[in-house]
Amino acid sequence: MRPLTRISRPAAVMLSLAVALGALTGCGQSTQETGAQPTASGKPVPGSNVSLNGAGATFPYPIYSKWFSEFNKLTGAKVNYQSIGSGGGIKQITEKTVDFGASDAPLKDEQIKAAPGILHIPTVLGAVVIGYNLQGVSDLKLNPEVLSGIYLGEIKKWNDPKLAALNPGTQLPATDINVAYRSDGSGTTSVFTDYLSKISPAWKDKVGSGTSVKWPAGVGGKGSEGVAGLLKQTPGTIGYVEVAYAEQNKLPYAQLQNKAGNYVKPSLENISAAAAGAIKDMPADYRVSITNADGPNTYPIAAFTYLLVYADQADQAKGEAIANLLWWAIHDGQKLAPTLLYAPLPAELVSKVEATVKSIKHNGQPLLK
């Protein structure tokens, strides 16, 4: 499987614009004539001056920023999104202070009880990588024992014998390992700690998983931006971030040993492979973990990310905009995902999500026309 290649920002922007322009080509009548902008998926997106407010996960922020900008160009609908972390997004959508939330961590049963009628809409697949700042080291290997040992605070030096054994021929410094983690409630943290809980009984027993945990070692950074900043600024640091943040900040990240024993970096193919086994048994609410999945080349720390909306929309105009935004995202929006290092949803999952989006209503009436 090929590793994710670094795409220059200008190239990514040009490719994204080309896709958007392609969606506008050959539409027949103009927006001014019809009042709607057709999309490649065949669903019209009504022109609208409505504004939507959302908040939550930093993990998908690069793709969401692009999506919301393109959707605005197509429809006139304004989408304001604050990347405050999944914990904040869950809190705000539960309290209905935003029109939609975003989380990489599926809501737990007790959270769903506090937000009756909430829907999980999977949008893309992403990967969490282990970035590091070590001068002269461009290719680092980590296995489950060593990675969990570092975050448990048991492996403290870069030249620890266990680390050195995984990286023969690499000059690892005799310096302290500075551990970085997310200080805010974070879906990225939930994904990472879910993985650690699967591969390390000690981690599961002592720390566990969740959007926020009591870290045994290290220093916190707010948001993926904060952890990326710690990695860039502090030599000897190790930290977990979404792959797009590592690429954008030109941070090296480790090869991880997967469940099959192979060392891999994330690629569009091996991130998608992590979801393959979950598709046939996907629960109706899409709440599923795909970390440490089976497969010879599967990347071990992969996840779906979700938009959170209510099935019953109180405001018809906003509800119509949300339904159309979701429909556009799971169809036309998927074309933009690879340019920003996210894997598109598998086709067989899209057909299931379509039915969920069509179930969004206002006063009992479907909002997607």
Side-chain angles (χ1 to χ4, degrees):
M1 299 294 178
R2 72 178 191 277
L4 286 168
T5 55
R6 183 173 284 116
I7 301 172
S8 69
R9 193 170 188 82
V13 171
M14 290 303 293
L15 181 55
S16 298
L17 288 176
V19 172
L21 287 172
L24 294 171
T25 303
C27 293
Q29 292 175 295
S30 69
T31 304
Q32 288 82 1
E33 292 171 329
T34 66
Q37 179 64 62
T39 67
S41 61
K43 287 284 183 182
V45 180
S48 175
N49 291 319
V50 70
S51 291
L52 300 175
N53 294 309
T58 63
F59 182 93
Y61 180 67
I63 186 65
Y64 285 178
S65 294
K66 188 62 184 173
W67 277 358
F68 300 155
S69 173
E70 295 299 329
F71 191 72
N72 172 253
K73 293 174 188 176
L74 287 167
T75 70
K78 296 179 178 64
V79 187
N80 306 304
Y81 181 73
Q82 294 182 325
S83 58
I84 59 173
S86 294
I90 292 170
K91 182 176 186 294
Q92 291 200 22
I93 190 62
T94 300
E95 296 173 351
K96 299 185 178 181
T97 57
V98 291
D99 301 306
F100 65 88
S103 178
D104 318 310
L107 273 64
K108 296 180 180 178
D109 290 346
E110 59 269 25
Q111 292 174 314
I112 289 178
K113 288 179 182 178
I118 199 82
L119 298 174
H120 291 72
I121 308 294
T123 53
V124 289
L125 290 143
V128 176
V129 298
I130 309 303
Y132 60 91
N133 182 339
L134 280 179
Q135 187 174 3
V137 178
S138 59
D139 191 18
L140 184 72
K141 290 182 178 179
L142 297 172
N143 66 10
E145 179 189 4
V146 168
L147 180 57
S148 60
I150 290 171
Y151 269 86
L152 283 166
E154 296 169 352
I155 297 176
K156 303 176 184 294
K157 298 285 187 180
W158 278 109
N159 66 342
D160 184 282
K162 290 183 178 179
L163 250 173
L166 298 179
N167 298 276
T170 300
Q171 295 298 313
L172 296 171
T175 55
D176 291 340
I177 299 174
N178 302 312
V179 176
Y181 57 82
R182 287 281 294 273
S183 60
D184 53 325
S186 160
T188 310
T189 295
S190 180
V191 173
F192 182 50
T193 57
D194 176 67
Y195 168 72
L196 290 177
S197 293
K198 287 180 179 179
I199 55 93
S200 169
W203 182 274
K204 183 177 181 180
D205 180 57
K206 296 177 182 179
V207 184
S209 63
T211 55
S212 182
V213 299
K214 186 175 181 179
W215 296 95
V219 61
K222 187 174 182 181
S224 294
E225 302 91 337
V227 174
L230 288 171
L231 282 164
K232 289 183 74 173
Q233 296 163 14
T234 311
T237 297
I238 191 169
Y240 60 95
V241 292
E242 205 279 327
V243 63
Y245 286 90
E247 291 285 339
Q248 289 170 358
N249 288 278
K250 297 180 172 57
L251 296 168
Y253 47 89
Q255 292 187 60
L256 299 183
Q257 188 182 50
N258 65 16
K259 193 173 182 179
N262 299 318
Y263 286 91
V264 294
K265 283 191 172 184
S267 70
L268 298 179
E269 292 89 351
N270 64 26
I271 295 171
S272 295
I279 297 299
K280 66 175 183 177
D281 298 319
M282 179 72 74
D285 60 10
Y286 311 110
R287 292 188 296 160
V288 66
S289 165
I290 58 171
T291 58
N292 203 39
D294 294 327
N297 298 301
T298 298
Y299 186 72
I301 319 182
F304 289 104
T305 191
Y306 306 89
L307 285 176
L308 306 173
V309 301
Y310 284 100
D312 183 14
Q313 292 288 313
D315 184 292
Q316 183 173 354
K318 287 190 173 187
E320 287 179 350
I322 287 171
N324 279 288
L325 170 62
L326 293 172
W327 187 272
W328 180 87
I330 66 171
H331 293 95
D332 299 64
Q334 297 296 300
K335 300 169 189 174
L336 302 179
T339 70
L340 293 170
L341 310 180
Y342 296 89
L345 297 177
E348 57 269 42
L349 180 57
V350 171
S351 62
K352 295 181 180 181
V353 180
E354 285 178 347
T356 305
V357 175
K358 288 179 180 178
S359 74
I360 299 172
K361 298 179 180 180
H362 169 71
N363 287 340
Q365 297 300 311
L367 288 168
L368 196 66
K369 308 300 182 185

